[in-house]
Amino acid sequence: AQSVTQPDIHITVSEGASLELRCNYSYGATPYLFWYVQSPGQGLQLLLKYFSGDTLVQGIKGFEAEFKRSQSSFNLRKPSVHWSDAAEYFCAVGGRTTSGTYKYIFGTGTRLKVLA
Amino acid sequence: GAVVSQHPSWVICKSGTSVKIECRSLDFQATTMFWYRQFPKQSLMLMATSNEGSKATYEQGVEKDKFLINHASLTLSTLTVTSAHPEDSSFYICSARETYREGVSGRFYEQYFGPGTRLTVT
């Protein structure tokens, strides 16, 4: 069955420090992978996505993610965090389920706190 | 492009009443739309998948009679919470997937999310 694991529920970093948010997935075929950010009371904003090709994906707001098939991972990185990056981050995997339907499965999220 | 709207963005209703939430794809046609529910500080949980012109497919544990979904056109899906109770209070998010086009790969699988509707039942 499809699943997504975000091991870190909370992460705190200082402004200007680098960031890595972890995401591991379980899926039987090549997955479609996404990272979303959500500010309190707001909807989801797509940061980046991976469908195929180059395994290092560039997104908005200076974020990037690397797809590693051997590790079943799609970790999100940013070299220098800004205070405005404080939010909830969700990793999602999309694909066809065993029943033939297309769905997204979301991870539990990682809440990022940025210290001034 | 690929904009999805939801209306209303915030609604308060009294216990026992029904409330309807609309989800619209503004600049594309969406054969399939999805409804998610999100409790505070939790992840998104898929409630149901709606396909234009057919019955919605509900996830296990979701009450079909409480959460009525109608997808009457290629740009509109509605979620009606019937006989709402305080435990139905939540953040409801819809998403839409563009109608399949021959020769276009990848994008077919992408869902575009609406801004969400906060429902508070008093």
Side-chain angles (χ1 to χ4, degrees), chain B residues 20-67:
Chain B
K20 180 184 289 187
I21 302 170
E22 293 185 348
C23 177
R24 293 182 184 273
S25 56
L26 299 185
D27 52 1
F28 65 99
Q29 293 186 330
T31 305
T32 305
M33 289 185 173
F34 304 84
W35 287 96
Y36 295 84
R37 183 174 182 177
Q38 184 180 32
F39 290 106
K41 299 186 179 181
Q42 294 189 25
S43 187
L44 281 73
M45 181 187 72
L46 179 64
M47 299 174 64
T49 303
S50 74
N51 291 295
E52 185 265 340
S54 63
K55 288 185 178 181
T57 302
Y58 291 82
E59 296 299 302
Q60 192 171 10
V62 177
E63 299 177 62
K64 302 178 183 181
D65 296 332
K66 167 164 278 297
F67 299 101

Side-chain angles (χ1 to χ4, degrees), chain A residues 17-72:
Chain A
S18 63
L19 172 70
E20 183 170 31
L21 301 182
R22 295 183 291 166
C23 173
N24 292 97
Y25 67 89
S26 174
Y27 186 64
T30 300
Y32 297 91
L33 297 161
F34 307 86
W35 273 101
Y36 292 89
V37 61
Q38 185 181 36
S39 297
Q42 303 298 312
L44 300 179
Q45 181 180 24
L46 178 67
L47 287 176
L48 46 77
K49 60 190 176 186
Y50 173 78
F51 287 165
S52 64
D54 193 346
T55 56
L56 185 61
V57 181
Q58 301 297 321
I60 63 171
K61 302 184 177 185
F63 285 94
E64 67 176 27
E66 186 171 11
F67 170 58
K68 293 186 177 179
R69 184 187 300 276
S70 61
Q71 298 177 21
S72 298

Side-chain angles (χ1 to χ4, degrees), chain A:
Chain A
Q2 289 174 288
S3 68
V4 178
T5 302
Q6 292 181 247
D8 305 305
I9 299 175
H10 298 278
I11 282 186
T12 300
V13 299
S14 297
E15 190 171 20
S18 63
L19 172 70
E20 183 170 31
L21 301 182
R22 295 183 291 166
C23 173
N24 292 97
Y25 67 89
S26 174
Y27 186 64
T30 300
Y32 297 91
L33 297 161
F34 307 86
W35 273 101
Y36 292 89
V37 61
Q38 185 181 36
S39 297
Q42 303 298 312
L44 300 179
Q45 181 180 24
L46 178 67
L47 287 176
L48 46 77
K49 60 190 176 186
Y50 173 78
F51 287 165
S52 64
D54 193 346
T55 56
L56 185 61
V57 181
Q58 301 297 321
I60 63 171
K61 302 184 177 185
F63 285 94
E64 67 176 27
E66 186 171 11
F67 170 58
K68 293 186 177 179
R69 184 187 300 276
S70 61
Q71 298 177 21
S72 298
S73 69
F74 189 57
N75 294 346
L76 181 71
R77 301 193 294 250
K78 186 170 184 176
S80 178
V81 171
H82 188 263
W83 64 267
S84 60
D85 293 324
E88 187 85 21
Y89 291 80
F90 293 100
C91 179
V93 60
R96 188 191 290 268
T97 67
T98 53
S99 62
T101 58
Y102 289 97
K103 293 183 182 180
Y104 279 21
I105 302 295
F106 283 87
T108 50
T110 297
R111 183 169 299 273
L112 175 64
K113 182 178 180 179
V114 180
L115 301 177

